[in-house]
């Protein structure tokens, strides 16, 4: 009598059912991702195969597509990317399974290809070392072996159909599939827990209250029109705008943080967090603006930043070329370059910041330390999680966004925005309040004007100026009859320059144009 195994080899194999084949592909990919996530908890979060491929995808994404994502999804753009990747991987896993209804080889090849892609992604990431490749390698091996194993169990089940072993092989496949699913969930969850931010939050909490030797002047009540529904002058930390290039936040404790200043300096110096914390801390009220901000957009916020003057740190190192650049690198490998003259400018007041609105920097805003250079768009000045400052000759190196054809220098352009009424709102007839903000950091706002329905420009009332590094709020009252109305705004800075009407997109060096909204009067 022939054995079951002999029959399964010597006779033509029937193909697996569509659903079973797809399930094998999905379970194999789930196991591969889970193992990779678990191993990355020990080799560094950047070595996670899923995240490494995602971060590489961000780097390779065309600029127009990045701006589309920012415009339409804002700070949720990374979540959309992750969801899109998950769907793509799911579809690929199903296809791998369906192509392997008779033989496991197509599915194993696809699993190996995905694993190899993750290996390449990890090896090319600036924030991973050689050990980081262990995570995608473990993912590759797991994907191939689990696919082969489950496929074999399913084929045994198929070969045993209508025999006395049918029930036994059916249960074996169900138990194998369930065990794979549970194992993937447990390993993936453990990996997430191990790479959580609890150690970072503990490090932040241990810093305690930051004692400021030179606090920022109090914000006068006359500096804003919050009672009219306008934007708060100081932005809460949770509401401060955030645009990142990485899918996950860097994990660096204050105890492990160091800042190295080297290059064209007289003395290479390295500071740790205690070195900075023990200095006399200063507090400055500064408005930051993202170059991706469209006309009337939300990517502008104001905070009381706490830190030490970058000028002092650079002076200790001894700058050799004041016409050069400071090439800043984040712990995750992101880079930018800022003119040395702007960092040394005492009036501008560039900071190495360790605090924000009275507390240690939130993780998403650069904890343990970041660079703040007022008057420049963040992509060319505001390096978060900064660990390295190299003094270089001008143009000696190109930085992250310069490699993507953005402008080398990035002075913030004079702009204004209408906050009240909201677009398409309906307000009572009579005296209608119009309010908003204008900004021209390091220059200052001299005048804001509005006009209704294409009529004559009228000067708005300016709130008290806090300093020339912050936005300035404005308001106006207009008598309006019932119906639909359109209001436009323009600002003039202290140099006499009025923002142009022409609409220019944000890239490569900031948007221009007049903000306008439509609203109705009852």
């Amino acid at each position: 009598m022939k054995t079951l195994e002999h029959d399964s080899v010597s006779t033509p194999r029937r193909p697996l059912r569509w659903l079973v084949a797809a399930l094998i592909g999905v379970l194999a990919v789930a196991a591969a991702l889970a193992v990779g996530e678990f191993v990355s908890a020990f080799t560094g979060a950047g070595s996670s195969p899923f995240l490494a491929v995602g971060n590489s995808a961000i780097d390779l994404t065309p600029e127009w597509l990045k701006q589309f994502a920012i415009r339409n999804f804002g700070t949720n753009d990374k979540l959309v990317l992750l969801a899109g990747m998950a769907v793509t991987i799911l579809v690929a896993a199903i296809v791998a399974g369906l192509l392997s209804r008779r033989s496991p080889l197509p599915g194993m090849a696809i699993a190996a290809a995905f694993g190899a892609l993750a290996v390449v992604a990890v090896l090319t990431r600036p924030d991973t070392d050689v050990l980081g490749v262990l995570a995608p390698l473990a993912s590759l091996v797991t994907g191939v072996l689990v696919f082969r194993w489950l496929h074999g169990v399913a084929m045994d089940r198929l070969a045993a159909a209508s025999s006395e072993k049918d029930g036994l092989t059916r249960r074996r496949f169900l138990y194998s599939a369930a065990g794979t699913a549970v194992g993937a969930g447990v390993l993936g969850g453990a990996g997430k827990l191990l790479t959580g931010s609890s150690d970072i939050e503990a490090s932040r909490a241990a810093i305690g209250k930051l004692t400021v030797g030179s606090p920022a002047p109090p914000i006068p009540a006359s500096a804003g029109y919050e009672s009219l529904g306008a934007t708060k002058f100081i932005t809460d930390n949770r509401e401060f705008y955030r645009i990142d290039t990485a899918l996950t936040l860097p994990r660096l404790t204050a105890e492990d943080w160091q800042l190295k200043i080297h290059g064209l300096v007289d003395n290479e110096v390295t500071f740790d967090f205690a070195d900075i914390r023990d200095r006399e801390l200063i507090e400055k009220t500064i408005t930051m603006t993202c170059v991706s901000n469209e006309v009337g957009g939300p990517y502008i916020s104001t905070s009381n930043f706490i830190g030490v003057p970058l000028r002092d740190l650079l002076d200790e190192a001894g700058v050799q070329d004041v016409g050069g650049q400071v090439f800043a690198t984040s712990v995750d490998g992101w880079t930018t370059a800022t003119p040395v003259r702007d960092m040394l400018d005492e009036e501008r007041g560039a900071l190495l910041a360790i605090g924000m609105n009275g507390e240690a920097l939130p993780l998403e805003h650069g904890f343990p330390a970041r660079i703040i250079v007022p008057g420049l768009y963040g992509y060319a000045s505001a390096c978060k999680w900064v660990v390295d400052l190299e003094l270089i000759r001008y143009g000696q190196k190109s930085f992250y966004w310069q490699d993507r054809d953005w402008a080398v220098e990035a002075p913030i352009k004079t702009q204004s925005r209408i906050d009240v009424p909201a677009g398409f709102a309906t307000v009572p007839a009579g005296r209608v309040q119009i309010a908003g903000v204008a900004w021209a950091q390091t220059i200052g706002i001299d005048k804001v004007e509005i006009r209704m329905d294409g009529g004559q420009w009228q000067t708005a009332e300016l709130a008290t100026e806090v300093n020339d590094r912050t936005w300035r709020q404005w308001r106006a009252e207009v008598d309006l009859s019932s119906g639909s109305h359109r209001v436009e705004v323009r600002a003039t800075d202290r140099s006499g320059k009025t923002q142009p009407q022409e609409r220019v997109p944000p890239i490569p060096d900031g948007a221009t144009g007049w903000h306008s909204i439509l609203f109705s009067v009852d």
Side-chain angles (χ1 to χ4, degrees):
M1 179 182 290
K2 294 180 181 180
T3 63
L4 173 64
E5 288 76 9
H6 181 73
D7 285 339
S8 67
V9 173
S10 62
T11 60
R13 293 185 173 187
R14 287 183 295 159
L16 295 173
R17 293 171 57 191
W18 297 97
L19 183 59
V20 171
L23 179 62
I24 290 171
V26 171
L27 290 175
V29 167
L33 291 175
V35 169
E37 194 69 31
F38 182 77
V39 175
S40 71
F42 303 95
T43 59
S47 65
S48 162
F50 186 69
L51 296 178
V53 171
N55 283 322
S56 296
I58 290 175
D59 291 345
L60 296 173
T61 298
E63 190 52 46
W64 65 267
L65 186 55
K66 287 183 181 179
Q67 292 307 308
F68 173 83
I70 291 174
R71 283 195 306 272
N72 291 277
F73 304 115
T75 55
N76 293 317
D77 59 338
K78 308 300 185 301
L79 182 61
V80 172
L81 172 63
L82 289 173
M85 285 177 56
V87 171
T88 301
I89 291 172
L90 177 63
V91 171
I94 292 173
V95 170
L98 296 180
L99 292 176
S100 305
R101 295 178 65 209
R102 292 185 181 275
S103 168
L105 293 181
M108 293 168 65
I110 292 174
F114 268 89
L117 178 64
V119 170
V120 172
V122 169
L123 286 176
T124 54
R125 291 299 303 163
D127 56 338
T128 56
D129 54 25
V130 176
L131 283 178
V133 78
L134 293 177
L137 283 176
S139 187
L140 186 158
V141 172
T142 300
V144 171
L145 292 182
V146 170
F147 192 96
R148 177 68 184 89
W149 171 59
L150 287 176
H151 193 278
V153 173
M155 292 303 290
D156 286 347
R157 156 77 184 91
L158 189 63
S162 303
S163 74
E164 66 276 8
K165 293 186 178 182
D166 186 16
L168 177 63
T169 55
R170 180 194 297 271
R171 288 193 297 274
R172 183 185 170 207
F173 176 75
L174 291 176
Y175 292 156
S176 299
T180 301
V182 171
V186 170
L187 277 180
K192 284 295 184 185
L193 287 175
L194 289 171
T195 56
S197 59
S198 58
D199 55 337
I200 308 298
E201 289 305 325
S203 180
R204 283 190 72 240
I207 291 172
K209 181 177 175 58
L210 293 172
T211 302
V212 179
S214 178
I219 307 298
S222 56
Y225 299 111
E226 191 176 344
S227 61
L228 302 179
T231 302
K232 293 172 62 176
F233 191 88
I234 296 294
T235 310
D236 294 338
N237 287 354
R238 290 184 178 181
E239 296 178 1
F240 202 99
Y241 83 85
R242 174 191 160 205
I243 298 292
D244 296 324
T245 60
L247 289 172
T248 56
L249 297 175
R251 291 164 38 80
L252 183 62
T253 65
E255 293 77 14
D256 293 332
W257 177 84
Q258 286 188 327
L259 175 65
K260 179 181 179 181
I261 302 180
H262 61 113
L264 297 177
V265 296
D266 296 330
N267 307 295
E268 182 177 302
V269 293
T270 300
F271 303 98
D272 61 23
F273 195 84
D275 293 330
I276 303 301
R277 172 75 182 270
D278 291 343
R279 292 169 178 255
E280 180 177 343
L281 300 178
I282 64 174
E283 183 179 50
K284 290 182 177 290
T285 308
I286 297 171
T287 296
M288 296 184 64
T289 310
C290 180
V291 72
S292 296
N293 204 39
E294 298 276 358
V295 172
Y299 301 133
I300 176 169
S301 303
T302 301
S303 178
N304 285 319
F305 289 101
I306 300 170
V308 298
L310 271 168
R311 176 188 177 93
D312 292 353
L313 303 182
L314 295 177
D315 282 346
E316 289 182 29
V319 175
Q320 294 177 359
D321 182 3
V322 296
Q325 293 172 297
V326 180
F327 191 83
T329 304
S330 167
V331 71
D332 66 355
W334 187 86
T335 56
T336 189
T338 307
V340 173
R341 65 177 182 273
D342 290 335
M343 283 199 177
L344 293 178
D345 185 351
E346 193 168 6
E347 291 290 323
R348 189 179 294 268
L351 284 179
L352 175 69
I354 62 171
M356 183 174 177
N357 288 335
E359 62 182 63
L361 284 173
L363 176 58
E364 61 270 22
H365 292 296
F367 177 83
R370 68 172 298 167
I371 301 297
I372 304 286
V373 185
L376 303 179
Y377 289 118
Y379 82 91
S381 68
C383 184
K384 296 189 283 189
W385 313 288
V386 63
V387 293
D388 190 276
L389 297 178
E390 181 182 3
L391 278 290
I392 62 173
R393 294 181 182 86
Y394 195 91
Q396 180 180 339
K397 290 185 176 183
S398 61
F399 54 93
Y400 185 91
W401 286 115
Q402 184 183 352
D403 290 339
R404 290 153 179 81
D405 297 324
W406 293 21
V408 177
E409 295 191 18
I412 295 174
K413 296 178 179 179
T414 301
Q415 269 288 356
S416 53
R417 186 182 74 194
I418 302 163
D419 292 334
V420 177
F424 303 106
T426 299
V427 299
R431 299 290 289 177
V432 176
Q433 297 283 349
I434 314 291
V437 292
W439 57 92
Q441 289 96 312
T442 73
I443 300 173
I445 292 295
D446 186 62
K447 180 171 65 173
V448 172
E449 301 167 284
I450 68 165
R451 69 175 178 182
M452 301 300 308
D453 304 319
Q456 296 295 314
W457 290 100
Q458 65 180 78
T459 302
E461 173 188 311
L462 292 177
T464 300
E465 183 180 62
V466 172
N467 63 60
D468 63 13
R469 297 178 297 276
T470 68
W471 54 18
R472 194 165 185 185
Q473 300 205 0
W474 56 268
R475 65 179 289 273
E477 286 188 357
V478 290
D479 283 315
L480 295 175
S481 58
S482 297
S484 178
H485 296 276
R486 179 170 179 260
V487 58
E488 297 169 278
V489 63
R490 69 182 184 186
T492 301
D493 64 33
R494 199 155 286 138
S495 72
K497 182 178 180 180
T498 300
Q499 65 181 97
Q501 180 180 13
E502 181 187 5
R503 284 281 181 129
V504 172
I507 307 306
D509 60 355
T512 66
W514 298 339
H515 186 215
S516 65
I517 64 165
L518 294 173
F519 65 98
S520 299
V521 174
D522 277 344

